[in-house]
Amino acid sequence: MERLSGLLSRTLNRVLWLSGLSEPGTARRPGIMEEKALEVYDLIRTIRDPEKPNTLEELEVVTESCVEVQEINEEDYLVIIRFTPTVPHCSLATLIGLCLRVKLQRCLPFKHKLEIYISEGTHSTEEDSFWVPTTFPGVIPFCISKGLG
């Protein structure tokens, strides 16, 4: 449904631009932001879950709709990700967020600032333990290794 909505939005913007009812920049900007959001999603969807043999995409921890890109200026972008842990009491939500950050910092080809959040109402933050995952030095490289070359 979300893909259909995005396709309709792009098509409508293109029709308005071609008909002269909107300026080229206004129809072009949403398309650029959508392309950048898809670029971000393509990078993060292959990250592996630290506990399961699946990717974050397969577990629906990340989806296309959880990625938003906003233009800060001509060269800088704000990337916002809202991911959903597999269970409300997920003890590795902090590690998943860190894997997202590391993968994007290493792989995104454009200048960016990152904001990574857990989707509201999907995690029991009262029981959150913000431990430092560096105690398991091989975990982050294992999770983000696919596609790094």
Side-chain angles (χ1 to χ4, degrees):
M1 186 65 159
E2 293 166 23
R3 289 182 187 183
L4 179 61
S5 174
L7 179 61
L8 288 173
S9 175
R10 282 187 295 243
T11 304
L12 180 60
N13 284 335
R14 184 80 175 150
V15 168
L16 289 172
W17 179 66
L18 289 172
S19 66
L21 296 174
S22 81
E23 296 182 26
T26 57
R28 193 170 156 257
R29 281 291 158 212
I32 290 172
M33 296 304 113
E34 289 174 8
E35 286 175 22
K36 293 208 177 289
L38 283 175
E39 190 174 351
V40 169
Y41 179 69
D42 282 341
L43 288 171
I44 65 173
R45 69 187 185 86
T46 59
I47 295 173
R48 291 184 230 155
D49 184 89
E51 292 183 304
K52 299 179 175 133
N54 304 85
T55 65
L56 297 183
E57 177 186 46
E58 292 167 345
L59 296 170
E60 296 182 357
V61 172
V62 295
T63 60
E64 285 183 28
S65 63
C66 80
V67 178
E68 181 184 345
V69 176
Q70 300 172 359
E71 187 174 31
I72 297 172
N73 58 45
E74 283 189 29
E75 295 180 9
D76 297 321
Y77 298 90
L78 173 63
V79 176
I80 302 168
I81 298 172
R82 290 178 176 82
F83 70 96
T84 304
T86 53
V87 292
H89 56 277
C90 177
S91 62
L92 296 177
T94 305
L95 179 59
I96 291 170
L98 186 59
C99 288
L100 291 167
R101 179 171 296 281
V102 170
K103 177 88 178 227
L104 292 174
Q105 285 176 336
R106 289 183 181 178
C107 298
L108 267 184
F110 55 86
K111 289 172 66 177
H112 62 278
K113 292 183 180 184
L114 290 174
E115 291 184 8
I116 300 173
Y117 303 100
I118 295 175
S119 298
E120 191 174 331
T122 62
H123 193 262
S124 55
T125 55
E126 300 83 26
E127 299 174 27
D128 245 357
S129 58
F130 292 98
W131 55 279
V132 180
T134 54
T135 54
F136 302 100
V139 174
I140 293 173
F142 169 77
C143 292
I144 66 172
S145 65
K146 185 177 181 182
L148 281 180

